[in-house]
Amino acid sequence: MKKTLLLPAIRSRLSKSRWANCTFAVMIVLALLANSSNALSDPFPTNAADQTITGKVTDEAGGGLPGVSVVVKGTQRGTVTDQQGNYSVVAPDASTTLVFSFVGYLSQEVTIGNRTQINLTLEPDTKSLSEVIVVGYGTQKKRDLTGAISSISSQEIAETPAANLLQNAQGRLAGVDIVRSNGNPGSPPVIRIRGNRSITAGNDPLYVIDGIPTDVSINDFNPNDIESMEVLKDASAVAIYGSRGANGVILITTKRGKEGKAVISYDGYYGIKKAKKDINLMNGEQFARYSRISRGIDPTNASMDNTFFDPLESQNLQSGIETDWLDLILRDGKQQQHQLSASGGSKNTTYYLSGAFYDEKGIMQQSDYQRYSFRANIETQLSEKLRVGVSSTVASDLQNVMSNGPYTNALRFSPLVQPFDADGNFLAYPNPREGLVTSPLLQYQPGQYTDERRKYRIFANIFGEYKLLDGLTYRLNFGPDFSTYRQGEYSGTLAGSANTAEVTNRQIFAYTLENILTYTKQLGQHSFNAVGLFSTQQNRTETSGARARNIPVESSLFYDLGSAADILGISSSLTKWGLVSYMGRINYSFKNRYLLTLTGRADGSSRLSPANKWAFFPSISAGWVLSDEAFLNDSKTISFLKLRAGYGAVGNTSINPYQTLGGLRRSVYAYGNDAAYGFGLNVIPNPDLRWEISSTLNVGTDFGFLNDRITGSLEVYKTNTTDLLLNRLIPITSGYGSVLQNIGSTSNQGWELTLNGKILPSSSGVRWEAGLNVFSNREKIVELFNTNDDVGNGWFIGQPINVFYNFKQDGIWQTD
């Protein structure tokens, strides 16, 4: 049996790094060396029964192909063709099979028989160019794309175990920043596509799962259920989603069943996480020396220690007793996942079913995350023209979050005290010198701190598709999305204060209803694809909460707030918003090399006033496949080259509903000796609010060299965002702190480079591929509500939206 060594793909994301170019240069050299003559020369001696086979390998145009691998199947014997495509190989007998393979061409196997000369023509492998990419309300061949789209496959997603698929994609997509929001297990990552555009209205991308948009966390979706993920980055690509795609769109397609016998598979892993300790804390003696120096005392002079150390600290210092608090609060984390799936189907019905359990324990105690998820994707052909199906996910999440308190206290706590007394009892305040600072281990004690978050979610896409005419299809999508969320918090009495507890509940029901017409037509060398859409989206969010103090039975945590002596607050709210959209898109191709895409979408948002709720978002993009032209068709170096450019606009209304109407809040005042209540405005109504608009120009090229041995793309873009939905500060003497207005503008410009190389592509043994992406984004505020910086909010013209700002220190004021 032939053994194949598969080296994992090497991928990295670099930003303005010199050695990035050097790394890829080495890749190219290795790739060329791998093609050098006699790279697979026969290491085995010949015998009398061997026969020499010669021949020539040519391409579809009849030219000789250099560097083609010719291997005796089942052995390590082989060679490569010379510059003219000629080869010579020794074969054992007439039943031997030769394997011909070359990057960018389909491999072929040929049995020798009685022949001593075998000439062969290899056919191009157009798989990479004909690869189908999801583009929103349809698909396109990769070579026909005119917008800026990055894609990642299920195989790449599965390479890195993680709680959600965005963490799997980290560093693999040019122009996409993915970072964890915090260190707690299960915390969703923060993702930015080509930087921040808006200051107040939000910068999160839109997630579209199996065609249904959602704003709720994607943590509920098992990464192993994902077939592919596409990121739409420029306006010409995202304009089809209008206002929902203002900050980019992430399209997620889940796995489907295939016709054939049932395939049952299990996937699982287990791993251990180690805390990376970049901070080396002082031991007892080092802390004592530091304390002396800070007071102007010689670091070796211990005679004055009792003047600033507690006697307990001095005694522990002399006895060599010390505590490494960081070691006490950190632990080894664990991560595991188990999934069982079944897929298959008949000619008319296919299915994919899966159930998975994910468990992660953080490096801090009482921080963990568990998820149970179930998926069912079923499609059936009811008649020759009618196809129906459902794609659904049911998930249950449980997350326990630990505060930053233990870590923060461990970094600043004295190492000359211990967490327990001589009898082993826990000390809430172990350092008498710092009587108000609690032990770093306080929140780890039983019943002293709880932050438990539990969620249930049902997400589905129920669809029906009917073929009206030849090339004309109608599709109905209905996507309900229901989730419930509960957060319970509790703080105990061990520190000497009264216990407190709080419960927050949130229930969300959203749905999307879409009517889609798709028409495809081929007229000679002209190809057309047209999509029309009418959709409506509704969202209803209901919240409630309560907070209490002095709960008599501490073990009840936050489950019995009614028994508390003090009810600190009760709250509830209801929020509803809707969106109605009309969309049209035309894709045109001439000779499969001249490409044009036109898109227009009109959105009406309930978050804005009737006079401003509607806006129209157009886009245009074009592409030219130069490698199909006569002047490049015979190139031995350039195997694929496409130029493309696009321009478009999208809108953003990611603000809280009812901003145009204003809001009330309860006020408390004294009425004699009694408390009285009233209501006053807390949000200034602004009926003139309108859309925040982002316009993007994107120019790009896709390329392939040496028969696609090296492939990649280069993008250059600029985005201008105007009419910012901005919470402007106003004088507090007005009775308000801010007002929401359309004021100001921002700009993002940058470039992205993606390179992929097949260093060792031989199908006979070792296969080595490497990928690299480098990108740069310059984000800045162009205009605010006046020509000056807004120091109070930390906004500065010419600088990014989020900056670190402080005063420069000139030094210490001296006595002279």
Side-chain angles (χ1 to χ4, degrees):
M1 178 182 295
K2 183 174 70 174
K3 296 182 178 179
T4 301
L5 175 62
L6 177 61
L7 298 181
I10 302 173
R11 299 183 177 271
S12 64
R13 179 180 69 80
L14 305 173
S15 178
K16 296 184 178 179
S17 176
R18 290 183 180 176
W19 62 266
N21 295 330
C22 299
T23 303
F24 204 77
V26 173
M27 292 164 44
I28 296 174
V29 172
L30 289 172
L32 295 175
L33 289 175
N35 265 345
S36 61
S37 180
N38 299 320
L40 293 174
S41 57
D42 190 356
F44 304 105
T46 59
N47 55 58
D50 290 342
Q51 52 182 323
T52 301
I53 308 299
T54 61
K56 184 176 183 178
V57 181
T58 59
D59 58 19
E60 67 278 14
L65 276 177
V68 177
S69 171
V70 185
V71 179
V72 177
K73 187 174 182 179
T75 73
Q76 295 298 314
R77 293 189 180 186
T79 185
V80 294
T81 58
D82 59 21
Q83 293 298 320
Q84 288 73 42
N86 298 313
Y87 72 93
S88 176
V89 65
V90 177
D93 52 53
S95 62
T96 298
T97 298
L98 298 181
V99 179
F100 297 81
S101 60
F102 189 57
V103 177
Y105 289 83
L106 297 173
S107 298
Q108 292 191 37
E109 296 186 4
V110 179
T111 302
I112 295 175
N114 296 323
R115 293 175 291 178
T116 58
Q117 184 176 23
I118 298 178
N119 298 322
L120 191 68
T121 298
L122 290 183
E123 298 179 1
D125 183 3
T126 60
K127 180 180 179 181
S128 60
L129 298 181
S130 60
E131 179 184 352
V132 175
I133 300 293
V134 179
V135 295
Y137 302 110
T139 58
Q140 276 186 281
K141 290 182 180 179
K142 189 175 182 180
R143 64 164 289 148
D144 294 339
L145 296 177
T146 57
I149 300 177
S150 295
S151 178
I152 184 172
S153 66
S154 59
Q155 180 180 357
E156 294 172 305
I157 292 174
E159 285 178 357
T160 307
N164 63 68
L165 59 97
L166 286 182
Q167 290 176 236
N168 298 67
Q170 198 166 17
R172 300 174 183 265
L173 301 166
V176 182
D177 270 322
I178 303 172
V179 295
R180 294 194 67 163
S181 56
N182 56 63
N184 282 298
S187 296
V190 176
I191 181 168
R192 291 292 179 265
I193 300 175
R194 292 183 170 180
N196 296 292
R197 299 165 181 80
S198 182
I199 296 179
T200 303
N203 291 285
D204 293 328
L206 171 69
Y207 301 102
V208 181
I209 301 170
D210 289 336
I212 301 300
T214 179
D215 294 322
V216 187
S217 170
I218 63 166
N219 262 17
D220 307 316
F221 299 91
N222 176 18
N224 286 347
D225 288 333
I226 306 304
E227 181 65 31
S228 68
M229 182 175 74
E230 280 77 27
V231 180
L232 313 185
K233 296 182 287 187
D234 70 333
S236 65
V238 306
I240 196 169
Y241 288 102
S243 63
R244 303 296 299 276
N247 301 308
V249 179
I250 298 178
L251 304 178
I252 299 169
T253 304
T254 60
K255 294 179 180 178
R256 298 290 190 271
K258 298 180 180 179
E259 180 181 349
K261 293 182 178 180
V263 176
I264 300 176
S265 61
Y266 165 80
D267 181 86
Y269 65 82
Y270 180 88
I272 297 176
K273 300 190 300 180
K274 293 280 188 179
K276 188 174 185 297
K277 299 179 183 177
D278 293 331
I279 302 175
N280 184 20
L281 299 184
M282 298 179 186
N283 59 26
E285 180 58 34
Q286 291 169 336
F287 180 67
R289 293 170 64 90
Y290 164 78
S291 300
R292 294 164 189 156
I293 292 174
S294 68
R295 291 165 173 83
I297 304 172
D298 184 277
T300 61
N301 182 6
S303 61
M304 300 182 65
D305 284 358
N306 287 334
T307 63
F308 52 85
F309 275 150
D310 184 84
L312 176 63
E313 289 179 291
S314 298
Q315 180 182 346
N316 288 339
L317 177 62
Q318 296 172 7
S319 303
I321 298 174
E322 58 188 30
T323 302
D324 188 334
W325 293 99
L326 200 58
D327 272 349
L328 292 180
I329 69 162
L330 296 179
R331 66 179 181 182
D332 288 343
K334 299 178 178 61
Q335 184 174 311
Q336 62 177 317
Q337 175 165 298
H338 306 277
Q339 173 177 299
L340 190 64
S341 64
S343 64
S346 61
K347 181 179 179 180
N348 294 326
T349 303
T350 59
Y351 61 88
Y352 173 86
L353 307 173
S354 74
F357 168 70
Y358 176 84
D359 179 56
E360 181 179 0
K361 299 189 183 304
I363 59 174
M364 295 182 66
Q365 296 179 35
Q366 296 177 221
S367 64
D368 55 66
Y369 174 72
Q370 292 183 348
R371 178 186 63 218
Y372 294 88
S373 61
F374 305 91
R375 169 156 287 276
N377 290 351
I378 302 173
E379 296 183 12
T380 183
Q381 192 78 31
L382 295 180
S383 68
E384 184 180 350
K385 294 186 176 183
L386 179 61
R387 183 168 66 96
V388 298
V390 61
S391 172
S392 61
T393 290
V394 178
S396 171
D397 297 18
L398 175 61
Q399 181 185 25
N400 286 295
V401 176
M402 174 49 63
S403 76
N404 292 328
Y407 190 85
T408 302
N409 284 348
L411 297 182
R412 65 185 185 183
F413 215 80
S414 171
L416 294 175
V417 294
Q418 293 183 291
F420 304 97
D421 63 16
D423 298 326
N425 298 313
F426 174 78
L427 300 173
Y429 297 92
N431 190 353
R433 182 171 54 88
E434 297 179 336
L436 299 179
V437 183
T438 58
S439 167
L441 301 179
L442 175 69
Q443 293 181 329
Y444 284 177
Q445 304 312 302
Q448 293 307 300
Y449 183 83
T450 298
D451 184 353
E452 182 185 275
R453 307 174 186 185
R454 188 180 295 273
K455 181 171 63 174
Y456 300 94
R457 186 176 184 186
I458 301 174
F459 182 90
N461 178 16
I462 304 167
F463 73 89
E465 190 172 279
Y466 189 79
K467 184 176 180 182
L468 299 172
L469 300 171
D470 186 23
L472 180 62
T473 303
Y474 167 76
R475 182 183 175 103
L476 174 67
N477 286 336
F478 176 65
D481 186 358
F482 176 77
S483 63
T484 63
Y485 171 87
R486 189 269 294 147
Q487 178 179 4
E489 300 176 85
Y490 177 81
S491 295
T493 60
L494 196 57
S497 58
N499 58 13
T500 60
E502 183 175 1
V503 173
T504 302
N505 292 284
R506 183 173 66 244
Q507 186 180 92
I508 301 176
F509 176 71
Y511 72 85
T512 301
L513 184 65
E514 297 179 328
N515 298 270
I516 308 169
L517 280 175
T518 305
Y519 181 69
T520 304
K521 186 68 175 179
Q522 183 80 34
L523 296 174
Q525 294 181 323
H526 302 272
S527 177
F528 299 89
N529 175 267
V531 177
L533 164 80
F534 167 72
S535 74
T536 177
Q537 299 172 48
Q538 299 287 333
N539 181 290
R540 185 184 191 276
T541 301
E542 186 176 339
T543 64
S544 63
R547 190 166 184 266
R549 182 174 55 200
N550 283 321
I551 301 168
V553 181
E554 290 199 70
S555 60
S556 64
L557 301 178
F558 52 82
Y559 291 106
D560 188 16
L561 299 188
S563 66
D566 304 311
I567 302 299
L568 302 180
I570 298 175
S571 63
S572 63
S573 67
L574 173 65
T575 302
K576 297 173 69 176
W577 62 264
L579 188 73
V580 176
S581 306
Y582 301 88
M583 184 277 296
R585 181 183 64 197
I586 297 176
N587 289 321
Y588 168 72
S589 171
F590 176 61
K591 290 187 176 180
N592 205 29
R593 74 182 74 154
Y594 307 110
L595 313 169
L596 179 67
T597 301
L598 299 172
T599 304
R601 175 162 174 148
D603 283 335
S605 172
S606 68
R607 303 182 197 223
L608 301 177
S609 65
N612 297 318
K613 67 174 53 179
W614 283 97
F616 179 72
F617 307 105
S619 77
I620 180 172
S621 58
W624 179 20
V625 184
L626 280 78
S627 54
D628 284 357
E629 300 291 352
F631 57 85
L632 284 179
N633 201 23
D634 296 328
S635 174
K636 300 297 182 183
T637 303
I638 301 175
S639 50
F640 181 72
L641 182 61
K642 179 177 68 177
L643 298 178
R644 48 185 169 77
Y647 178 82
V650 290
N652 189 358
T653 58
S654 297
I655 57 175
N656 292 328
Y658 318 127
Q659 297 290 308
T660 60
L661 303 176
L664 298 175
R665 68 179 171 190
R666 192 180 74 165
S667 59
V668 182
Y669 59 95
Y671 187 75
N673 294 325
D674 300 322
Y677 304 97
F679 291 90
L681 288 172
N682 71 328
V683 177
I684 300 178
N686 184 358
D688 297 325
L689 288 181
R690 57 189 181 276
W691 292 84
E692 180 179 288
I693 304 295
S694 295
S695 302
T696 300
L697 174 65
N698 190 96
V699 178
T701 179
D702 303 316
F703 52 82
F705 299 117
L706 304 175
N707 290 302
D708 288 346
R709 189 75 173 265
I710 301 169
T711 60
S713 65
L714 175 65
E715 310 276 355
V716 180
Y717 63 89
K718 183 171 184 179
T719 300
N720 292 319
T721 303
T722 58
D723 288 337
L724 295 180
L725 290 163
L726 191 63
N727 262 320
R728 178 169 75 89
L729 292 180
I730 58 177
I732 196 66
T733 53
S734 66
Y736 304 91
S738 63
V739 58
L740 185 62
Q741 293 179 305
N742 289 98
I743 295 177
S745 62
T746 62
S747 172
N748 278 270
Q749 60 183 15
W751 55 269
E752 302 164 359
L753 176 64
T754 300
L755 294 173
N756 295 289
K758 299 176 181 178
I759 301 175
L760 296 176
S762 173
S763 61
S764 62
V766 178
R767 180 167 63 90
W768 182 9
E769 298 180 0
L772 174 72
N773 70 75
V774 187
F775 64 88
S776 172
N777 181 76
R778 175 75 170 95
E779 166 195 315
K780 66 179 180 179
I781 298 174
V782 177
E783 181 185 0
L784 291 171
F785 46 86
N786 53 39
T787 58
N788 301 320
D789 298 331
D790 185 344
V791 179
N793 278 314
W795 301 331
F796 303 91
I797 294 175
Q799 299 297 325
I801 295 173
N802 299 311
V803 295
F804 292 99
Y805 173 78
N806 208 332
F807 294 101
K808 291 183 178 179
Q809 304 297 324
D810 286 338
I812 301 174
W813 187 276
Q814 305 292 342
T815 58
D816 57 355

